[in-house]
Amino acid sequence: LCLSTITKAERGGLLITRQAHSPAVTADTQLSHIDNHTSMPAFVRAAVHHCLLHMLPNSSAIVSGRYDDAHVLQLAIGITRLHAALQAFASFSDEINPDWSPILQQTQALLSDYQHLTHLASTVEPHLQQYGAPAVEWTADIDAMKVRPMDAVCANDFQLALLELIAFAMSDPALETHADKSAKEALTAVLLKQQKAFVQAEERLQHKRYPYLDGAESEESATDDTKKNGGAQEMKDAQDTQESQQALLALNQQVTTLYYVHEFATPLLKTGHKKKKAKKKLKRQRKHLLKAKQVLSHYDDAMRYGQHYHQKSATETRALFGAGWFAATLKTQHKPLQKR
């Protein structure tokens, strides 16, 4: 038994227009119904409600079986935004259930794995073929996936979490212990904490050697001893790559969280007697955060697609083109990534 926000009117409209499904719903950019007097418990409820308005139409489409890749992508983004809000604003309410986060993370990971592979088959593969790549078939890989989007969304733990989140968003914030504390005053500390976590993640990445990025430079600087101990060096390179990928993933998650927390906080932070100046500053910050988030996401995608093609090449040599393509792509994206 699964939640659905699809109305009878919407079903009728789809039948009349002979459409298989409604378009995927994207997120509104800012929270509504909050002001300078909004309390901490009311603010976090507004953030959860805001995320649910993004998630529920897309999860409903997936549950009905009438969906496409866009619904899966938008639901995954919605879950990421909600998880960021629950983590960043955990101190704003005593009624946030810590069990929600692992359920949301697991569901998001399952949806992202499926979406990446289907996007690779429908978009990435045809793009590579335009540049002379031999065709690689991914249908069997998609069919072999044990958990489909419908399975992930229909899972009891996720459906129960959605019900509890709806109940939380509709509950009375005035009954909480922090009901008399202003959300606006607490937001600065939250943003500083997220910024500190981002800086730490960035510093960890700087201390990692990345064979993917070293490429020809590491080959030229290799010593005779290194060349003799090829097997040991390959193992070390593989370990360095895995550690660097984990550090890069952590940085990507921190930038994404910081971006969404900034997005949630903006409506309150741009108010006050210096409204015009604050609005301009926040817009500039958001622009830089978005660029950093985009370049990290593109880099992460290229890394994932490269891994898919590399694994595929073990049984299908035609996939070597894609593996080489994305290895080269990672090198060209290194400088833009550092700049952002």
Side-chain angles (χ1 to χ4, degrees):
L1 187 64
C2 299
L3 286 167
S4 177
T5 60
I6 302 175
T7 64
K8 286 187 285 184
E10 187 177 342
R11 294 177 193 275
L14 292 172
L15 285 170
I16 290 170
T17 57
R18 297 184 181 181
Q19 291 178 291
H21 50 72
S22 298
V25 174
T26 57
D28 288 332
T29 54
Q30 291 188 355
L31 298 187
S32 55
H33 307 299
I34 58 172
D35 54 38
N36 282 341
H37 305 292
T38 300
S39 66
M40 291 166 63
F43 179 85
V44 71
R45 281 167 172 76
V48 169
H49 178 247
H50 178 77
C51 294
L52 288 172
L53 290 177
H54 180 197
M55 291 167 54
L56 287 171
N58 294 304
S59 67
S60 300
I62 293 171
V63 162
S64 71
R66 301 187 183 95
Y67 68 94
D68 58 20
D69 286 350
H71 291 93
V72 180
L73 175 62
Q74 287 301 320
L75 178 57
I77 292 172
I79 293 174
T80 302
R81 295 175 79 245
L82 176 58
H83 182 254
L86 292 173
Q87 291 293 102
F89 307 125
S91 62
F92 282 35
S93 171
D94 297 328
E95 295 184 18
I96 292 176
N97 187 344
D99 293 336
W100 292 337
S101 284
I103 295 169
L104 291 172
Q105 284 181 297
Q106 179 184 343
T107 307
Q108 191 273 341
L110 292 169
L111 292 173
S112 293
D113 288 345
Y114 184 87
Q115 193 272 331
H116 265 93
L117 193 55
T118 54
H119 182 77
L120 188 153
S122 64
T123 306
V124 175
E125 177 63 24
H127 176 74
L128 292 186
Q129 288 179 28
Q130 290 179 357
Y131 291 90
V136 177
E137 183 57 54
W138 294 97
T139 305
D141 298 78
I142 296 171
D143 292 340
M145 294 195 77
K146 294 180 180 179
V147 181
R148 298 300 185 94
M150 188 181 291
D151 301 324
V153 176
C154 289
N156 283 343
D157 56 356
F158 182 66
Q159 288 295 316
L160 288 170
L162 287 179
L163 279 170
E164 291 175 7
L165 285 159
I166 292 170
F168 170 73
M170 295 176 69
S171 62
D172 188 357
L175 301 177
E176 289 222 42
T177 54
H178 302 303
D180 59 338
K181 295 183 179 179
S182 168
K184 185 175 181 178
E185 293 177 5
L187 285 175
T188 302
V190 171
L191 281 167
L192 285 172
K193 182 180 177 180
Q194 293 301 321
Q195 184 182 1
K196 184 179 179 181
F198 158 71
V199 171
Q200 289 173 342
E202 200 273 338
E203 287 175 348
R204 283 194 293 271
L205 182 64
Q206 291 296 330
H207 288 92
K208 300 294 181 183
R209 178 177 167 272
Y210 206 147
Y212 249 145
L213 302 177
D214 293 344
E217 293 176 15
S218 62
E219 291 173 14
E220 290 170 6
S221 60
T223 63
D224 291 336
D225 291 337
T226 303
K227 291 174 181 177
K228 289 176 184 177
N229 302 321
Q233 186 62 35
E234 284 181 10
M235 289 179 65
K236 186 177 185 303
D237 283 350
Q239 185 179 354
D240 287 344
T241 299
Q242 186 177 8
E243 290 177 357
S244 297
Q245 286 174 349
Q246 291 172 350
L248 187 73
L249 180 61
L251 180 62
N252 191 12
Q253 290 173 341
Q254 287 297 337
V255 170
T256 300
T257 300
L258 181 58
Y259 176 78
Y260 288 138
V261 171
H262 189 277
E263 183 181 84
F264 292 133
T266 294
L268 286 186
L269 295 179
K270 69 181 184 182
T271 59
H273 64 284
K274 296 182 179 179
K275 183 177 178 180
K276 190 174 180 180
K277 187 177 180 180
K279 195 172 181 179
K280 188 176 180 180
K281 184 178 180 180
L282 287 163
K283 186 178 180 181
R284 185 172 65 252
Q285 290 174 348
R286 182 172 169 78
K287 178 184 175 182
H288 290 309
L289 278 170
L290 179 60
K291 287 182 177 180
K293 176 177 173 290
Q294 287 175 336
V295 74
L296 273 165
S297 295
H298 291 156
Y299 198 92
D300 185 56
D301 287 343
M303 202 159 53
R304 286 197 190 201
Y305 296 142
Q307 287 172 346
H308 278 299
Y309 276 102
H310 183 72
Q311 290 167 3
K312 188 82 166 176
S313 68
T315 56
E316 195 170 336
T317 54
R318 288 179 295 180
L320 285 170
F321 186 104
W325 176 281
F326 285 108
T329 300
L330 288 172
K331 290 181 182 178
T332 61
Q333 289 187 353
H334 185 214
K335 286 185 178 179
L337 186 148
Q338 285 187 318
K339 179 183 176 183
R340 295 303 178 197

